[in-house]
Amino acid sequence: MRRTDFWERMGETFGPAYAASVAADQVLPQLRGKTIEQAIAAGEDIGFIWRAVCAAYGERVPARIRR
């Protein structure tokens, strides 16, 4: 997955402004206690990060973009 795809999916899931807030402020246990921004900065695979978002916010993520 490309970063642009990741951010498009984040925007679709949360809306652009809230997506940025989630990425900066929410610590996800699936990311070993990092925020999305910290995980990206640490070089984590963007697909792994997206799967962590899906696990944490599954009810919010539209089914067609969960893969």
Side-chain angles (χ1 to χ4, degrees), residues 22-66:
V22 168
D25 300 329
Q26 298 297 312
V27 173
L28 300 182
Q30 298 86 347
L31 298 177
R32 297 177 290 282
K34 295 178 187 148
T35 66
I36 293 167
E37 286 186 353
Q38 289 169 334
I40 290 170
E44 292 281 357
D45 176 72
I46 203 76
F48 173 77
I49 296 169
W50 177 247
R51 289 187 296 278
V53 171
C54 291
Y57 298 99
E59 72 286 347
R60 260 194 108 124
V61 179
R64 63 183 173 69
I65 62 172
R66 278 192 202 141

Side-chain angles (χ1 to χ4, degrees), residues 1-25 35-41 46-47 49-50 53 65:
M1 171 185 295
R2 295 177 300 155
R3 282 188 190 199
T4 55
D5 295 331
F6 173 82
W7 287 112
E8 286 174 6
R9 291 176 187 202
M10 287 289 290
E12 186 172 340
T13 300
F14 299 105
Y18 189 51
S21 176
V22 168
D25 300 329
T35 66
I36 293 167
E37 286 186 353
Q38 289 169 334
I40 290 170
I46 203 76
I49 296 169
W50 177 247
V53 171
I65 62 172

